[in-house]
């Protein structure tokens, strides 16, 4: 059996003993104490390999780690080492040779009668797969002698020739030797830029990648035939750790294992439990004494720290360490947070305007004026009595803070802000694509997922069983129809469940209001509306947070049963389902308050009832906008505080603690091993696995909806979003750097489907804000009264104009107040908010013409506002180019320079060929002139005319 030096736990040169002889020594009774003695005479290999960052030889860097579980026999550590070395000595055997470790299994069977065939099957799969990896050119090293007992690690290194081959396959753009000057601004713009740089210098991160560059290396897709174009002076750093791990992951995905149930790579082996984890290593420690400088430590200091919250993010370093996809997420989050600053400032100004003009608002002054003596109809049947409108003074004054003419301007501003934000991000994205050499990058179709391969295999086997000819199978819509049907029914059920819960909260509000109205204390009766609103919003918040987690799991399950072909398809379908369910879950209570509450209550004497006993709830005298503001603010702030921050901090730490306790329970180490420093791959194994960017994007998209959809009712939403995002950026950064395993770097040139979702929310926000201003607020009724009904051109008399009259003798039997003398006098006529004919009219209580005039004005406003704002948004899209002018010039310059490089190379080749031809011609002439002498002196040699060019 031959020994593969590329695949061994310890190189034979370091041990000073041949691997094959170890088994012979153990067979004759070589005990553990002698082994320990020999090991103690050699130096500590952990220092040479930088505690797991390199192979044991200290030269080959670990690019990827595969982790697996194995069961140790009761014979102790000696047998474990025997399995370990015999496995390593036989790793690179061909398929027709005996399986590695088969002899070991016989020995184990002799000493231990119980054999776990399931574990054997996994081990055989691992052996075949790792043998295929070696044949693909990778170098492997196994380590089972770790502090985590029962866990084995396979370290993977990609040598130079493999890196070059795969970089060419993946068309990776790498920097060439050619450098060129980046176009600089001149004149006034140059002075402005220099001033801005000096001002922003204190808030710039102290990393080399963030400094403004004046020169840039020309990039070109790597080619082994054109290696002379690239700067290969330092081969160790030409491919950085991110690129190396990406290359290894591509090989892992496409390397097959025929013993596995599925034929496709590492994903199927992870799904079957053959391997328990696969991940690239972090660059090193980020804290502690005598820690060597590395990118992870730099990111922790300049990015993942709350002390640098005021600084820009080192996006280029984030991309260098985590890859383009994660770099684009944090770049987008940074642009979004920056754009929230002007929106927050304008929102604060609008709120302050409402505070400044509250004492000048005539409608709220009329409501608070006790001299008007307006008696209102009861809010519930029997138990509620008549009440004075002046008792709702505080609610009316508070409503003006958010229901004033400035909110209309703010809604228009936020619609234009959303369009500007999208255009600004597109331009920023193009700059990053140029800087990160992604121009011209097109995503290729990914490898099929393990589940898809399994379904295709199952379908093929069914057809073979029926004796049918089988071409290359694939899943059709017929195969997926049961999953599609389940998805449709499941989503409809989940949406219906959300509506049912909101309806249940409505019943709670109505019944609680009726119960509190029976209270004997006046203070209890006066605080009914506040109590009911606050408790109902808290219930909604708790339900939303719980259902968010449930819907996330259901969306993933529904996507899994669809069996999408690639990871990209899976992610897009998952995003669509999760967003749909979470959008409905988060905004349904808010939609109810904004557009349905108080719309279908009926009128005194003819109220609308639920289950023939609960009367539909009405809006407050000042309108539903104040309650909408309370609902929106509590849900938004609650989700951000509890779900986004506490969950993101608490859950990972709790999972980490649970894993630590499990490992501690399994440990049976002696003191020497307990004091031994952990390897890098052991430390990273204890970190939380990376679960993708979907949860990070989702919480920000839902927040973007809170900021834009109902901004007319809550101008301070951008401010709270800004404060949350300042913390969120550093929280996510800390999680990625310190709490998560290092994710595999993924190339991406945009944020994918999230951009389309953002555009959709921006368009929807214009429509919703138009309806909020028109139907929820009193803005349109005030305008109609001011220009159609006001006698003196002021708002005096507006409150009386919006109230209708009701004769208390027209109450239905059993619905009149039990205590009609509660106010101290007998009430004949009470008022309620609606546009209806008075009781002394011929068509009493019918809808009046004022209602139709206001409704027509409301609909007209919606149409005008929507079309005007959308036109302005499209105009902003059109006037701002997607690609900055300087970037388009630089891209064109790169193309010209690349053509020049190749033209010069071709000219050089032609000149060299011409020189060789001239030399050959001259040598040929010399050969013809002296051929007799040469043939006599070099008879039988290679000095003939025909052989001379070969010698040259």
């Amino acid at each position: 059996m031959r020994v593969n030096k590329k695949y061994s736990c310890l190189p034979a040169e370091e041990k000073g003993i041949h691997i094959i002889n170890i088994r012979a020594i153990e067979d004759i009774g070589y005990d553990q104490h002698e082994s320990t003695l020999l090991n103690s005479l050699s130096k500590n290999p952990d220092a040479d390999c930088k505690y797991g960052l390199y192979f044991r030889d200290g030269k080959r860097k670990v690019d990827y780690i595969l982790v697996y579980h194995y069961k140790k026999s009761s014979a102790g550590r000696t047998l474990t080492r025997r399995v370990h070395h015999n496995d390593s000595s036989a790793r690179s055997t061909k398929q027709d040779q005996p399986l590695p470790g088969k002899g070991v299994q016989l020995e184990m069977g002799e000493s231990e009668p119980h054999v776990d065939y399931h574990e054997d099957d996994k081990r055989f799969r691992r052996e075949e797969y790792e043998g295929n990896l070696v044949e693909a050119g990778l170098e492997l090293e196994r380590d089972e002698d770790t502090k985590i007992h029962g866990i084995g690690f396979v370290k993977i290194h990609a040598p130079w020739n493999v890196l070059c081959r795969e970089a060419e396959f993946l068309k990776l753009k790498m920097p060439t030797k050619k450098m060129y000057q980046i176009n600089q601004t001149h004149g006034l713009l140059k002075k402005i830029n220099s001033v801005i740089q000096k001002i922003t210098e204190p808030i710039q991160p102290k990393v080399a990648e963030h400094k403004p560059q004046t020169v840039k290396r020309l990039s070109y897709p790597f080619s082994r035939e054109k290696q002379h174009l690239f700067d290969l002076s330092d081969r160790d750093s030409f491919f950085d750790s991110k690129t190396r791990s990406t290359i290894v992951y591509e090989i892992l995905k496409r390397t097959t294992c025929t013993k596995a149930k599925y034929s496709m790579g590492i994903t199927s082996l992870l799904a079957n439990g053959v391997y328990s984890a696969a991940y690239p290593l972090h660059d090193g420690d980020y804290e502690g004494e005598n820690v060597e400088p590395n990118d992870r430590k730099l990111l922790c200091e300049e990015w993942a720290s709350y002390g640098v919250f005021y600084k820009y993010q080192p996006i280029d370093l984030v991309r260098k360490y985590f890859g383009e996809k994660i770099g684009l997420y944090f770049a987008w989050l940074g642009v979004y947070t920056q754009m929230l600053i002007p929106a927050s400032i304008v929102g604060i100004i609008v709120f302050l305007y409402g505070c400044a003009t509250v004492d000048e608002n005539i409608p709220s002054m009329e409501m608070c004026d006790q001299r008007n003596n307006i008696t209102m109809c009861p809010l519930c049947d029997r138990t509620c009595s008549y009440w004075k409108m002046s008792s709702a003074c505080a609610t009316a004054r508070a409503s003006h803070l958010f229901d004033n003419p400035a909110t209309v301007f703010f809604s228009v501003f936020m619609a234009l802000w959303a369009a500007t934000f999208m255009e600004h991000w597109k331009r920023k994205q193009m700059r990053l694509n140029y800087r990160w050499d992604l121009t011209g990058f097109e995503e290729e179709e990914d490898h099929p997922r393990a589940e898809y391969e399994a379904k295709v295999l199952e379908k093929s086997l069914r057809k073979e069983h029926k004796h049918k000819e089988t071409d290359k199978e694939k899943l059709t819509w017929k195969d997926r129809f049961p999953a599609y049907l389940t998805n449709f029914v499941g989503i409809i059920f989940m949406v219906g469940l959300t509506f049912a819960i909101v309806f249940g909260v409505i019943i709670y509000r109505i019944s609680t209001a009726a119960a509190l109205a029976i209270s004997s204390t006046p203070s209890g009766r006066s605080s009914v509306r506040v109590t009911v609103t606050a408790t109902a919003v808290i219930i909604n918040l708790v339900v939303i947070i719980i259902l968010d987690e449930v819907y996330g799991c259901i969306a993933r399950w529904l996507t899994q049963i669809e069996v999408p072909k690639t990871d990209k398809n899976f992610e897009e379908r998952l995003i669509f389902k999760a967003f749909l369910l979470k959008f409905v879950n988060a905004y349904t209570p808010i939609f109810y308050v904004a557009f349905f509450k108080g719309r279908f209550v009926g009128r005194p004497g003819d109220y609308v009832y639920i289950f023939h006993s609960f009367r539909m709830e009405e809006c407050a005298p000042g309108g539903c906008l104040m309650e909408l503001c309370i609902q929106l603010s509590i849900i938004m702030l609650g989700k951000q505080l509890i779900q986004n921050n506490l969950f993101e901090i608490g859950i990972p730490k709790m999972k980490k603690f649970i894993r630590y306790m499990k490992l501690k329970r399994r440990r049976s180490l002696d003191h020497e091993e307990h004091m031994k420093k952990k390897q890098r791959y052991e430390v990273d194994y204890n970190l939380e696995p990376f679960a993708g960017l979907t949860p990070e994007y989702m919480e920000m998209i839902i927040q973007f909806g809170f900021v834009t959809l109902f901004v007319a009712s809550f101008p301070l939403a951008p401010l709270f979003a800004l404060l949350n995002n300042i913390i969120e950026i550093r929280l996510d950064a800390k999680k990625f750097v310190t709490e998560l395993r290092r994710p595999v770097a993924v190339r991406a040139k945009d944020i994918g489907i999230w951009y389309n979702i953002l555009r959709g929310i921006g368009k929807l926000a214009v429509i919703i804000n138009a309806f909020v201003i028109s139907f929820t607020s009193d803005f349109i009724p005030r305008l109609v009264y001011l220009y159609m009904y006001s006698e003196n051109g002021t708002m005096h008399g507006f409150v009386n104009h919006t109230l209708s009259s009701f004769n208390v003798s027209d109450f239905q039997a059993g619905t009149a107040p039990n205590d009609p003398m509660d106010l101290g006098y007998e009430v004949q006529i009470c008022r309620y908010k609606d546009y209806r004919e008075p009781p002394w009219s011929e068509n009493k209580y019918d809808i009046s013409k004022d209602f139709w005039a206001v409704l027509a004005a409301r609909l007209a406003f919606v149409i005008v506002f929507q079309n005007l704002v959308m036109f302005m948004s499209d105009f902003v899209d059109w006037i701002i180019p997607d690609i900055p002018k300087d970037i388009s010039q630089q891209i064109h310059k790169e193309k010209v320079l690349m053509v020049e490089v190749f033209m010069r190379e071709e000219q050089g080749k032609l000149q060299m060929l011409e020189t060789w031809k001239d030399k050959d011609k001259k040598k040929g002439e010399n050969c013809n002139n002296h051929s007799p002498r040469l043939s006599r002196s070099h008879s039988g040699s290679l000095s003939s005319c025909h052989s001379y060019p070969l010698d040259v």
Side-chain angles (χ1 to χ4, degrees):
M1 187 179 293
R2 65 185 178 90
V3 179
N4 187 357
K5 293 181 180 178
K6 290 183 178 180
Y7 188 81
S8 60
C9 183
L10 289 176
E13 293 82 6
E14 286 190 12
K15 294 186 180 185
I17 186 169
H18 200 277
I19 296 176
I20 296 177
N21 293 334
I22 292 178
R23 180 174 173 183
I25 293 173
E26 291 179 89
D27 288 343
I28 61 173
Y30 182 74
D31 68 357
Q32 184 178 352
H33 298 288
E34 295 175 50
S35 174
T36 307
L37 179 61
L38 285 178
N39 287 335
S40 64
L41 295 176
S42 62
K43 61 179 181 179
N44 180 20
D46 291 345
D48 294 335
C49 66
K50 294 187 178 179
Y51 294 96
L53 289 174
Y54 288 82
F55 276 23
R56 290 290 183 179
D57 56 11
K59 298 176 182 178
R60 292 172 292 172
K61 188 174 183 181
V62 176
D63 298 319
Y64 219 86
I65 291 291
L66 300 179
V67 187
Y68 60 92
H69 291 271
Y70 68 94
K71 290 186 178 180
K72 297 181 65 175
S73 67
S74 58
R77 298 280 303 280
T78 307
L79 185 57
T80 301
R81 285 180 180 160
R82 182 185 310 163
V83 174
H84 171 56
H85 291 305
N86 281 323
D87 279 355
S88 64
S89 66
R91 185 57 50 216
S92 61
T93 53
K94 303 291 183 181
Q95 295 299 321
D96 56 349
Q97 293 177 341
L99 285 170
K102 187 172 286 188
V104 177
Q105 288 301 316
L106 293 174
E107 293 177 9
M108 290 177 66
E110 292 170 5
S111 61
E112 196 171 331
H114 178 71
V115 179
D116 192 339
Y117 294 103
H118 186 60
E119 289 297 320
D120 289 349
D121 181 55
K122 287 183 179 180
R123 185 171 60 81
F124 289 151
R125 293 186 194 180
R126 285 196 298 268
E127 288 168 352
E128 188 206 357
Y129 181 70
E130 290 163 15
N132 293 340
L133 292 180
V134 171
E135 290 181 357
L138 298 178
E139 299 177 3
L140 311 183
E141 183 177 270
R142 185 188 295 274
D143 186 6
E144 291 182 356
D145 190 15
T146 63
K147 290 188 73 174
I148 309 175
H149 278 211
I151 302 292
F153 297 91
V154 177
K155 296 173 278 186
I156 302 177
H157 168 77
W160 173 255
N161 61 327
V162 174
L163 293 173
C164 293
R165 181 191 71 205
E166 297 298 323
E168 186 173 349
F169 291 167
L170 296 174
K171 300 175 183 177
L172 296 180
K173 274 191 172 183
M174 304 302 294
T176 62
K177 296 176 184 177
K178 175 69 176 176
M179 301 183 72
Y180 67 95
Q181 196 79 17
I182 297 177
N183 294 340
Q184 301 294 321
T185 55
H186 301 284
L188 182 60
L189 284 176
K190 185 176 182 181
K191 293 180 179 178
I192 293 173
N193 287 338
S194 63
V195 170
I196 292 174
Q197 285 179 8
K198 289 179 181 178
I199 294 173
T200 60
E201 188 175 355
I203 59 175
Q204 300 290 346
K206 296 177 182 178
V207 296
E209 286 79 2
H210 200 76
K211 294 178 181 177
Q213 297 178 346
T214 56
V215 293
K216 185 178 184 289
R217 286 189 179 273
L218 195 62
S219 295
Y220 185 73
F222 188 82
S223 173
R224 287 173 287 181
E225 295 180 355
K226 299 186 183 297
Q227 287 193 30
H228 57 277
L229 294 177
F230 303 95
D231 184 12
L232 303 179
S233 56
D234 185 7
R235 290 189 172 188
D236 292 337
S237 61
F238 183 73
F239 295 106
D240 57 13
S241 59
K242 163 186 69 74
T243 308
R244 297 175 70 99
S245 62
T246 303
I247 288 173
V248 173
Y249 183 63
E250 286 295 323
I251 298 174
L252 292 176
K253 282 200 297 185
R254 71 165 185 259
T255 302
T256 58
C257 177
T258 55
K259 288 193 181 70
K261 290 181 181 177
Y262 323 126
S263 62
M264 246 337 178
I266 188 63
T267 52
S268 60
L269 296 176
L270 288 170
N272 289 329
V274 177
Y275 291 101
S276 58
Y279 52 89
L281 292 179
H282 280 291
D283 277 359
D285 291 325
Y286 60 89
E287 60 182 357
E289 298 179 358
N290 303 322
V291 175
E292 293 185 4
N294 57 72
D295 288 343
R296 188 188 188 195
K297 185 174 186 294
L298 189 59
L299 281 171
C300 189
E301 293 171 353
E302 293 295 327
W303 182 52
S305 172
Y306 295 110
V308 293
F309 72 92
Y310 59 91
K311 288 188 177 183
Y312 285 101
Q313 299 182 86
I315 292 297
D316 291 324
L317 185 60
V318 174
R319 173 252 177 180
K320 178 185 173 186
Y321 193 78
F322 291 109
E324 286 80 7
K325 192 171 185 179
I326 293 176
L328 280 173
Y329 163 70
F330 282 103
W332 173 83
L333 184 55
V335 170
Y336 172 46
T337 305
Q338 288 176 7
M339 289 294 293
L340 283 173
I341 295 174
S344 303
I345 293 172
V346 176
I348 292 171
I349 293 172
V350 168
F351 178 73
L352 293 177
Y353 170 81
C355 295
T357 57
V358 67
D359 292 328
E360 302 171 7
N361 184 39
I362 295 174
S364 62
M365 291 170 62
E366 287 184 347
M367 288 183 66
C368 293
D369 191 357
Q370 297 185 359
R371 294 173 296 178
N372 288 335
N373 197 27
I374 298 177
T375 304
M376 303 297 293
C377 294
L379 295 174
C380 62
D381 294 343
R382 295 188 301 276
T383 55
C384 299
S385 185
Y386 306 104
W387 56 284
K388 292 284 187 181
M389 175 170 272
S390 57
S391 63
C393 175
T395 306
R397 289 173 64 85
S399 296
H400 178 72
L401 300 178
F402 306 100
D403 187 5
N404 56 68
T407 57
V408 181
F409 158 77
F410 191 55
S411 298
V412 177
F413 170 82
M414 287 303 294
L416 297 179
W417 172 87
T420 308
F421 162 59
M422 299 304 294
E423 289 303 309
H424 179 45
W425 167 243
K426 278 197 290 188
R427 289 169 64 84
K428 177 72 172 179
Q429 194 170 254
M430 283 306 303
R431 289 188 181 278
L432 293 176
N433 284 343
Y434 163 72
R435 221 158 68 202
W436 296 348
D437 298 322
L438 292 172
T439 52
F441 167 71
E442 294 295 336
E443 292 185 15
E444 298 179 355
E445 187 175 359
D446 200 0
H447 298 286
R449 298 173 63 249
E451 292 80 359
Y452 181 85
E453 288 286 317
K455 284 288 184 182
V456 170
L457 180 64
E458 185 181 337
K459 184 178 179 182
S460 302
L461 292 175
R462 280 202 308 266
K463 285 199 171 185
E464 286 178 6
H465 184 66
K466 294 178 181 179
H467 305 288
K468 292 184 179 179
E469 295 183 1
T470 58
D471 298 328
K472 182 158 180 159
E473 292 293 338
K474 63 180 182 179
L475 297 185
T476 62
W477 69 270
K478 293 180 181 179
D479 300 318
R480 291 193 174 105
F481 181 75
Y484 290 153
L485 184 63
T486 306
N487 270 260
F488 178 76
V489 173
I491 290 173
I492 294 297
F493 175 76
M494 291 299 114
V495 172
L497 176 64
T498 303
F499 289 162
I501 291 173
V502 171
F503 183 73
V505 174
I506 294 171
I507 299 296
Y508 162 80
R509 293 163 70 112
I510 295 170
S511 57
T512 306
L516 291 176
I518 308 175
S519 174
S520 57
T521 60
S523 60
R525 289 197 298 269
S526 63
S527 61
V528 168
R529 192 178 296 276
V530 177
T531 305
V532 170
T533 301
T535 54
V537 171
I538 292 172
I539 292 173
N540 274 328
L541 174 62
V542 173
V543 170
I544 286 171
I545 291 174
I546 294 173
L547 286 184
D548 255 3
E549 302 300 320
V550 174
Y551 286 169
C553 298
I554 290 175
R556 179 168 290 276
W557 176 74
L558 290 175
T559 310
Q560 285 173 345
I561 64 173
E562 277 188 60
V563 198
K565 184 175 181 180
T566 63
D567 286 331
K568 184 179 179 182
N569 292 341
F570 181 88
E571 186 180 22
E572 288 180 350
R573 296 185 186 195
L574 172 62
I575 288 169
F576 174 75
K577 294 180 184 65
F579 174 74
L580 178 63
L581 293 174
K582 293 190 177 187
F583 182 89
V584 171
N585 180 41
Y587 295 112
T588 300
I590 300 171
F591 268 92
Y592 164 72
V593 174
F595 302 121
F596 296 99
K597 184 179 179 182
R599 308 288 172 196
F600 312 103
V601 294
R603 60 169 179 83
D606 188 21
Y607 283 114
V608 177
Y609 291 90
I610 301 175
F611 305 134
H612 304 288
S613 57
F614 297 109
R615 204 172 96 186
M616 288 293 291
E617 55 181 345
E618 303 177 40
C619 289
C624 277
L625 198 70
M626 185 62 198
E627 188 172 343
L628 176 61
C629 173
I630 294 172
Q631 184 107 358
L632 186 66
S633 60
I634 291 179
I635 291 177
M636 179 182 175
L637 294 177
K639 271 180 66 67
Q640 289 182 350
L641 181 63
I642 298 172
Q643 193 174 26
N644 298 355
N645 294 330
L646 291 182
F647 280 14
E648 285 192 12
I649 295 172
I651 291 180
K653 291 206 175 283
M654 184 175 67
K655 288 182 178 178
K656 188 177 179 182
F657 178 74
I658 291 172
R659 280 198 306 271
Y660 170 77
M661 294 304 294
K662 284 182 179 178
L663 291 173
K664 190 176 179 181
R665 196 178 300 119
R666 285 191 305 189
R667 279 179 188 165
S668 56
L669 307 175
D670 55 20
H671 180 70
E672 180 184 350
E673 285 193 337
H674 185 70
M675 297 302 293
K676 186 173 66 175
K677 183 178 178 180
K678 278 188 177 181
Q679 304 288 336
R680 175 80 263 151
Y681 43 85
E682 294 179 81
V683 177
D684 287 2
Y685 178 72
N686 291 329
L687 298 178
E688 185 74 13
F690 175 64
L693 289 171
T694 300
E696 314 298 336
Y697 272 114
M698 188 67 71
E699 65 183 69
M700 288 295 106
I701 297 296
I702 297 294
Q703 185 204 80
F704 183 77
F706 282 122
V707 169
T708 54
L709 291 180
F710 296 94
V711 74
S713 63
F714 189 40
L716 295 179
L719 174 63
F720 290 116
L722 173 65
L723 297 176
N724 174 79
N725 287 6
I726 291 173
I727 301 171
E728 180 74 20
I729 289 175
R730 307 303 164 180
L731 181 65
D732 283 350
K734 197 172 185 65
K735 182 172 70 175
F736 271 82
V737 174
T738 64
E739 299 288 339
L740 297 179
R741 293 175 191 160
R742 188 175 183 176
V744 179
V746 179
R747 286 189 297 168
K749 62 187 300 184
D750 52 40
I751 60 174
I753 193 175
W754 297 110
Y755 182 81
N756 298 327
I757 293 175
L758 285 168
R759 285 189 67 85
I761 290 176
K763 299 294 184 185
L764 184 63
V766 176
I767 302 171
I768 290 178
N769 280 306
F771 277 94
V772 168
I773 295 169
S774 182
F775 286 89
T776 309
S777 74
D778 283 338
F779 178 74
I780 299 301
R782 288 172 186 169
L783 284 182
V784 171
Y785 177 79
L786 186 65
Y787 292 107
M788 289 183 63
Y789 300 103
S790 177
E791 298 176 356
N792 52 8
T794 65
M795 293 302 295
H796 288 287
F798 169 73
V799 174
N800 188 58
H801 176 75
T802 59
L803 298 176
S804 298
S805 300
F806 177 76
N807 193 330
V808 298
S809 60
D810 294 331
F811 272 122
Q812 290 181 350
T815 61
N818 295 333
D819 187 7
M821 301 293 293
D822 185 56
L823 295 177
Y825 56 89
E826 186 178 359
V827 177
Q828 300 292 333
I829 299 293
C830 66
R831 310 295 296 276
Y832 61 99
K833 192 171 183 179
D834 204 349
Y835 291 101
R836 291 182 179 271
E837 296 291 342
W840 50 83
S841 171
E842 293 181 1
N843 303 316
K844 65 177 184 178
Y845 306 133
D846 285 349
I847 294 174
S848 65
K849 63 178 183 178
D850 297 342
F851 171 83
W852 299 112
V854 171
L855 179 62
R858 281 174 163 164
L859 293 175
F861 176 83
V862 168
I863 294 170
V864 172
F865 181 89
Q866 175 185 332
N867 286 281
L868 178 63
V869 174
M870 283 195 173
F871 169 76
M872 294 170 68
S873 300
D874 292 339
F875 180 74
V876 169
D877 289 350
W878 174 76
I879 203 172
I880 300 176
D882 293 347
I883 304 176
K885 187 177 179 181
D886 59 325
I887 297 299
S888 60
Q889 290 174 350
Q890 298 290 355
I891 293 173
H892 178 70
K893 186 177 180 179
E894 277 196 353
K895 291 179 180 178
V896 172
L897 288 173
M898 187 54 67
V899 171
E900 289 179 0
V901 168
F902 286 124
M903 289 298 293
R904 278 202 297 269
E905 186 181 357
E906 290 297 322
Q907 289 173 1
K909 286 181 180 179
L910 290 174
Q911 289 176 0
M912 189 179 296
L913 287 173
E914 288 175 0
T915 305
W916 284 354
K917 284 180 181 179
D918 293 340
K919 286 182 178 180
D920 292 346
K921 191 175 181 181
K922 290 178 181 178
K923 296 297 181 182
E925 290 174 357
N926 294 335
C927 186
N928 290 332
N929 293 334
H930 305 284
S931 57
R933 182 168 55 87
L934 282 171
S935 59
R936 282 195 303 269
S937 59
H938 294 84
S939 178
S941 68
L942 293 175
S943 300
S944 66
C945 297
H946 297 288
S947 63
Y948 187 78
L950 293 175
D951 293 337
V952 174

